[in-house]
Amino acid sequence: MMKRKIVLSLIACLLAAACLAGCSSDSEAASSLAASSAASSEGSSVSEAAAVEASAGEKSGFDLDGVFETLKESNPISNPFEIAAMNIEFDFMLAPEDVAAYKGVRSNDNGDAGLVLVIQPAEGKAETICEALETYKQDQVAFYGNYAEFAQAQANVENAVIVGRDEVVVMMIASNEATADLSAAVNDALGL
């Protein structure tokens, strides 16, 4: 009986302390929230860091944003949606530690496979990334092959351009509205 009273008293004290802790000032709560958010984001995925570090290419002399914008002009993507860290990891099957930085968009329209993706690979990972993108390409060809109405998208994916060098890997799939020669556009953008 005495032990039960002690345990109940301790629980009451803990609840009171928790209530008082909840009454802290807004700035303390905000800094606590920011600290916990930072801690959780560090453990969540390295690929998120890659998305934030898109400017890392500028430090190495490679203009990731410039190449991306040039390529996007040559291949206008209908209803574009930005490729996120989650897409890099789960759609393209790229290991987060293999990608130093990236920038990309793809079409969000059914039947349009349009894509512009520029990746700055981690050191020595360009070939690995090219292989993963080739696998993605084959998967997309198979997907669009299931739908007769998406024949144009399937043809566009079959003709995708994947180019890799030590400092950059590019994948482009023509949108249904594209008129430019994507191979030439990639070569021009990369100075090949």
Side-chain angles (χ1 to χ4, degrees), residues 24-79:
S24 66
S25 72
D26 287 342
S27 64
E28 288 176 357
S31 68
S32 172
L33 178 61
S36 68
S37 173
S40 68
S41 68
E42 284 177 1
S44 64
S45 175
V46 177
S47 59
E48 290 174 14
V52 173
E53 294 175 10
S55 63
E58 295 172 7
K59 295 176 185 173
S60 67
F62 175 70
D63 183 11
L64 183 81
D65 290 334
V67 170
F68 173 75
E69 292 301 326
T70 300
L71 293 175
K72 201 168 71 167
E73 286 174 18
S74 66
N75 186 22
I77 304 296
S78 64
N79 191 18

Side-chain angles (χ1 to χ4, degrees), residues 112-115 133-147 150-162 171-176 182-183:
D112 191 340
L115 171 101
L133 294 179
E134 186 63 39
T135 300
Y136 173 81
K137 172 183 168 180
Q138 296 309 319
D139 290 346
Q140 291 299 296
V141 167
F143 169 77
Y144 285 111
N146 291 320
Y147 305 95
F150 296 157
Q152 178 65 47
Q154 182 182 13
N156 290 348
V157 176
E158 288 171 345
N159 296 313
V161 176
I162 301 172
M171 181 176 193
M172 292 230 325
I173 300 173
S175 70
N176 291 346
L182 297 188
S183 293

